[in-house]
Amino acid sequence: MNSVEALGLTKAYRMGAATVMALDGVTLSIEEGDFVAVVGRSGSGKSTFLHLVGGLDRPSGGEIRVKGEPLSKKSSSGLAAYRRKSVGFIFQSFNLSTTMSAVANVELPLLLDEVGARERRERARAMLASVGLSAREDHRPTQMSGGEQQRVAIARALVNRPSLLLADEPTGNLDSRTEREVLDLLAKMNADMKQTILMVTHDRAMADHYARRVLEFGDGRLVSDQEKPR
Amino acid sequence: MRLRDTVRFSLGNLRQRKLRSFLTMVGVAVGTGAIVLMVSFGVGLRNTLVGELESGESLLMIQVMSINIDLFGGGGVKTKEKFRRLTDEDVKEMSAIPGVRAAWPDLQMQVRYEIDKTGGRTTVHPTPVEAATQMMRQALVAGAWWDGKGQDAIVPLDIVRRTKSKQTKLEGPEEEAAPQALTRQDSEALIGKSIVFLFGGKEGGGGTAPKDPPKGIVVEGPDDKGRRRVTFRIAGVYDEEKMGGMAHGVYIPLDPGRGLRVLGPPQWAPREDGEVAPLEEGEYFAIVVKAASIKEMPAVQARLKELKYFTFTVQDMIKFVEKATLALEAGLACLGGIGLLVAFFGIVNTMVMAILERTREIGMLKALGARDRDVGLVFLGEAAAIGFLGALGGLGAGWGGSMLMNVLARSFVLKGDRFDDTRLFQVSPVLAMLAIAFGVVVACAAGLLPAIRASRLDPVTALRHE
C-alpha cells in the first residue's frame, strides 16, 4: 500500500511582484515503510515538498494523500491532529526546547496529544533508551553534543509511533562521525519500527548510501527517481 | 493539550524569564494596589458615615420640613409645591397618624449656658416627654428623666467634662472639652444644680428683648450685661454614645422650649409663595415625627407623603451618602485604573516580546501537532498568570497600605476615643475578589491580541525565524 501520494502538486510563492513556483507539478507515490531520500540543490523545492507532506503548509494546487486520505480536506486543527498522530519531524537545527530536559522534550508530542503524565514519562523514557540516551534523560539540550541532541529529536519524532518520519537535513549541523551515528540510528528505526522515512538532504552520496529510493528535485520538478532493489 | 499541561507550560515559560515576568507583575500590582487602596477609602468612608447615621433611635425620626428637598433623591415629595408653612394644626394632624409615637415642633436652638462659674455654648432640644424612649432613658448615667412639667434639663457628659475642667469660655467657637476620665460622682455632683441659659446682650447671642414676655417660664434680667437669664434644674446626665444617634445637647421639656424660642433670635422660613418671612407664633420651620417602631416607619412616611408633607429621614441621608460615596468610589477606582492601564501596555509589550523570542518554538510546537488554540492558550495563560500574581501582590500591598492609612488617620486626623474603631479604609472580601478578577481580566485582555497572533503564526515561517 502507498503511504504517500502526490498528484500534480504545485506551490507558488509571491516574491514581491514575481511569483516563484517552488513546486511545479510533482506526481509520485511512496510505499509504506520505505526509506526515501529527497535530494536537490537549494531552491529545488525539496523542503517545500517535505512541508506539504507533513501538513505544515498547504499546496497551491494538486493533492497529497496519506494512506489514501487527502490532506486538503483537513481543517487547520485536523492538520494539527495529523501532525500529532501520524507525522514525526526531525530538523537540521534540532529545534529542541532548551528550557526543558531531554525527557520533557521527548514528552512534548504526547503532552500535545493529551496523554496522561505517567504514561508520557514512561513512553518518553523508553524512547530515549532506544536511542541510547537513558543516562542523559534529565540533561538539557544545551548540556549535550549535537549528535545527542539530534538523537533526542529523533526520540521525540518517534515517541507517538507515527507512520511517517520526515527529516529535513537531519545531519546538516553534525560532523561526519556523528552524521553516521544519526543515520545509522534512522536506518535502524526504519528497520525496527517500519515507519516510512522521507529525508531531505543535499548530500547525494549519503542519500545513495542510506536510502532505498532517491528522488531528485530540480526547479520544483521531480527530475530523477532511482530505487535500489529490495 | 490538557488545561493542566497548558497552565504548567505557561508557568514554566514565566519562570524562564523571571525578572521580566516579575517586573510586569509589579506593574499589575501597582495598578491593582492603587485601585484597592482608593476604593477601600470609598468603602470605608461610606461605612463610617452610614454607621454614624444608622443608629437605633435616629432611624425612628422623620423630619418634616417647610422646604421640599428632593436633592437627596426620594426625600421630598414629587410635586410642584416647594414650600409649606408648618403650624400647630399640622403637629396635631401628624400626632394622629397611626404608628406615630410623638410629633412636636422642632424648636432646637443654639444657646449659651452657665453652670456655677463655668459655661459654654450648647444646643437645646425641647422635646415632649412621650418622645423619651426606653433607650433614651437608659442612656442616663445619673439622675432621672424629667416629667415634662418643670424647668428641668438633661445634660450630656460633655457638659460634665467642661464643668469639671472649669471651662469658662463663653466667647469664641464651641470647643470640645479636653478628654479626661469622668467618674460617676462627677455626673452625680451636677444633679439638682442650676443650668442658666443666656439670651440677649453682647454675649447672649443676637436675641432682642421680646415684645411680650414669654409664657410658662421664669425669666430674670436683664442683668448688668443686658442678658436675660432662664434657669433650669439639671435632672439627669446622659452618655452621648448610648443615645442611639440622637442629637447631642441639652434636652428640656417642650413647653418651656416654646418660651425660650421667644427669647431667642427670630426664625425665618419661606412662605408658600417662596417669600422668606419671620415665623409667627405657632408656626415652625420643621416638625419632628417619631415613629413608635421601625416597623411603622414606612407606613408613617407614606401617610405623611399622602398628606403632602415634605419628609426627610436618616434613611434618605444614608441613601444620599451611599450614592455620593459610590460616585466617589467610581472616581477613585478610575484614578487607580490609570495604573492598571499602564500595566496593560506593559503586559502587551511583554507578550509581544515573548512571542518574538519564541517564534521558532511556536513553529516547533505546531510541527509537533499543537493546535492554534493550544498555542494561543499557552500565551493567554501566561498573561493571566501575570495578572493573577500581580493582582495578588497588589491586593496585599493595597491592604497593607489601607491598614497603614488607618493608623496614620487615627494618629493625625481622627484623634480621640470616639474614633478608636473607625476605619476610613476598608478592604472588604468583595473588593478583594473584584481586585483579583479585575487584574486577571485586564491581563487577559492585554494578552489576547498577542496570543491570537501567536496562534496564527505560519509554522513554516516560524521555523525559519532566526
Side-chain angles (χ1 to χ4, degrees), chain B residues 125-186:
Chain B
H125 300 281
T127 309
V129 69
E130 319 87 80
T133 56
Q134 196 63 20
M135 181 182 209
M136 291 166 77
R137 288 171 189 276
Q138 279 168 358
L140 290 195
V141 292
W145 204 270
W146 35 249
D147 58 8
K149 293 196 177 86
Q151 280 178 226
D152 296 323
I154 305 286
V155 301
L157 278 179
D158 182 50
I159 284 186
V160 181
R161 209 172 279 125
R162 289 196 231 177
T163 310
K164 191 183 180 189
S165 61
K166 307 241 183 305
Q167 185 174 319
T168 54
K169 212 173 196 173
L170 287 169
E171 289 304 313
E174 186 176 6
E175 275 180 31
E176 277 216 19
Q180 53 174 300
L182 286 179
T183 61
R184 199 183 183 83
Q185 282 73 28
D186 292 325

Side-chain angles (χ1 to χ4, degrees), chain A residues 36-98:
Chain A
V36 179
V38 183
V39 297
R41 287 185 219 181
S42 57
S44 63
K46 55 188 193 302
S47 287
T48 303
F49 178 67
L50 196 79
H51 292 147
L52 292 180
V53 172
L56 278 181
D57 210 348
R58 290 181 188 272
S60 313
E63 181 62 272
I64 300 171
R65 290 200 191 121
V66 177
K67 292 190 172 177
E69 214 181 315
L71 292 189
S72 64
K73 292 259 169 67
K74 291 185 190 291
S75 65
S76 160
S77 65
L79 272 186
Y82 161 69
R83 293 195 296 267
R84 209 156 59 229
K85 294 176 190 296
S86 310
V87 183
F89 275 101
I90 302 167
F91 304 95
Q92 177 176 0
S93 51
F94 322 135
N95 277 324
L96 296 173
S97 171
T98 51

Side-chain angles (χ1 to χ4, degrees), chain A residues 127-144:
Chain A
M127 209 60 231
L128 273 178
S130 69
V131 299
L133 284 176
S134 277
R136 311 281 276 163
E137 267 177 15
D138 297 322
H139 288 73
R140 299 220 168 169
T142 44
Q143 300 164 306
M144 298 174 139

Side-chain angles (χ1 to χ4, degrees), chain B residues 93 162 183 200 207 213 227 263 280 331 355 357 374 401 415 428:
Chain B
E93 185 174 38
R162 289 196 231 177
T183 61
R227 301 175 305 189
L263 291 173
E280 301 292 326
I355 287 159
E357 280 170 9
D374 295 325
K415 290 181 192 169
S428 64

Side-chain angles (χ1 to χ4, degrees), chain B residues 57 135-136 139 145 238-247 251:
Chain B
E57 200 72 17
M135 181 182 209
M136 291 166 77
W145 204 270
Y238 71 90
D239 184 348
E240 294 96 322
E241 299 290 305
K242 293 180 183 153
M243 280 288 267
M246 295 290 290
Y251 284 84

